[in-house]
Amino acid sequence: MDEREAKLLARQKELDELEKEIKAREKAIKKKEQEKKQILLRLAPGLWNEIAKMADDDIRSINGEIEYLLTEAVRARKKK
């Protein structure tokens, strides 16, 4: 085995470890998401469209964007 092959094998091992770490994080996130409370939320179509645009800009789901906005609003309110 030459030096190049050894480097490739070492890199493959690093990638395998990173993949295991990512899978573990995904599992933890999925578990945490299952613990979240669910609510029914009715929004005006105009507000829904604005949130959808923001979510698209931020590369989030609409649900994720709503959660982000609510989290920011709570933080801002706590600062007052």
Side-chain angles (χ1 to χ4, degrees), residues 49-62 65:
N49 290 333
E50 289 299 317
I51 292 172
K53 289 176 191 173
M54 294 168 68
D56 190 48
D57 291 343
D58 294 340
I59 311 172
R60 289 190 183 101
S61 66
I62 294 173
E65 188 70 23

Side-chain angles (χ1 to χ4, degrees), residues 38-43:
Q38 294 182 7
I39 63 167
L40 175 63
L41 179 63
R42 290 181 176 87
L43 299 173

